[in-house]
Amino acid sequence: MSKVRVAGFGVSIDGFSAGPEQSLNDPLGKGGFDIFQWFFHTRTFKAMHSDDGGGSTDVDDSFAHRAMDNFGAFILGRNMFGPIRGPWPDDSWKGWWGPNPPYHTPTFVLTHYEREPLVMEGGTTFFFVTGGIEEALQRAKAVAKDKDVKIGGGVSTVREYLRAGHVDSIHLAVSPVFLGKGEPLFLGIDLPSLGFSITEKVVTEKATHIVLEKQ
């Protein structure tokens, strides 16, 4: 049976999954890249940006691969897609990832402002959903079929789907860094009351990987 998953989601040891003041120069907010150092050295990450076969094949890479595997659709918040706020000024912004984004499946972007679908290289098409999280999930499940749906971020989008009870599985990569401020992932969210328990924990040099499943 297909699942709705959060996977490969970085979090600092003080609970932040993005830094403050997102901008073109700081897509994850100031300091946000620090919580993804576990990911950048992996073969999975390198393969997203080149085909030279580089990158590690360690435990971090295993979790990175799992975090991108078996998804038939993705859901992103507006801020995850880009730094533009308010009405779309035009169609020139096509995401952070260049002409070939790493999704390779239909990807649904939550927004309050309509925009035509954006077809990219490699099988990714961005669909802009103005009807909220329920509409996005319904459409994502319809195209994913027997594959999983990934809630790709950002933080507020993950929190919305958690509060609504739609997430089945969470993989957190807890990095040994403090951000001090930013976007807290679990503020006001009671994971045990939502039915989650830890099913896997693995410690590497760069992160503690924790998997939580809804029972």
Side-chain angles (χ1 to χ4, degrees):
M1 181 180 296
S2 64
K3 293 184 176 181
V4 177
R5 295 166 53 199
V6 174
F9 213 77
V11 59
S12 66
I13 56 175
D14 51 350
F16 297 102
S17 286
E21 301 178 41
Q22 183 196 45
S23 66
L24 281 173
N25 292 326
D26 293 300
L28 298 173
K30 292 183 177 178
F33 275 108
D34 291 345
I35 61 177
F36 284 94
Q37 293 305 312
W38 71 272
F39 183 47
F40 296 142
H41 69 95
T42 66
R43 175 171 290 183
T44 298
F45 176 80
K46 301 290 187 182
M48 292 179 182
H49 299 277
S50 69
D51 56 2
D52 61 8
S56 70
T57 56
D58 55 10
V59 173
D60 289 326
D61 182 60
S62 176
F63 277 99
H65 178 76
R66 287 165 55 179
M68 295 300 294
D69 189 41
N70 196 46
F71 292 106
F74 288 75
I75 297 175
L76 308 178
R78 170 77 180 264
N79 293 1
M80 185 73 176
F81 180 72
I84 300 169
R85 305 294 185 264
W88 302 100
D90 51 45
D91 292 336
S92 60
W93 179 262
K94 295 178 171 59
W96 303 102
W97 310 278
N100 189 354
Y103 303 107
H104 311 301
T105 61
T107 300
F108 298 87
V109 179
L110 296 164
T111 177
H112 295 296
Y113 302 94
E114 293 185 358
R115 180 173 169 177
E116 291 298 311
L118 176 61
V119 179
M120 306 292 285
E121 296 176 13
T124 300
T125 298
F126 292 111
F127 296 93
F128 300 91
V129 181
T130 59
I133 66 169
E134 302 291 344
E135 178 189 338
L137 185 57
Q138 182 181 32
R139 292 176 62 180
K141 284 184 173 181
V143 298
K145 298 181 180 178
D146 59 342
K147 290 189 174 183
D148 296 337
V149 173
K150 181 173 180 177
I151 310 299
V155 177
S156 62
T157 299
V158 170
R159 288 169 57 83
E160 282 190 86
Y161 278 102
L162 279 171
R163 283 195 295 263
H166 292 314
V167 178
D168 300 305
S169 174
I170 307 169
H171 160 225
L172 301 174
V174 183
S175 295
V177 297
F178 288 100
L179 289 189
K181 56 184 177 179
E183 296 189 49
L185 181 57
F186 293 124
L187 181 65
I189 293 178
D190 185 344
L191 289 177
S193 71
L194 291 172
F196 287 99
S197 61
I198 296 173
T199 58
E200 191 175 355
K201 181 179 71 173
V202 181
V203 180
T204 72
E205 179 183 354
K206 297 182 181 294
T208 298
H209 297 278
I210 299 173
V211 178
L212 304 98
E213 301 282 350
K214 185 180 287 185
Q215 304 302 310

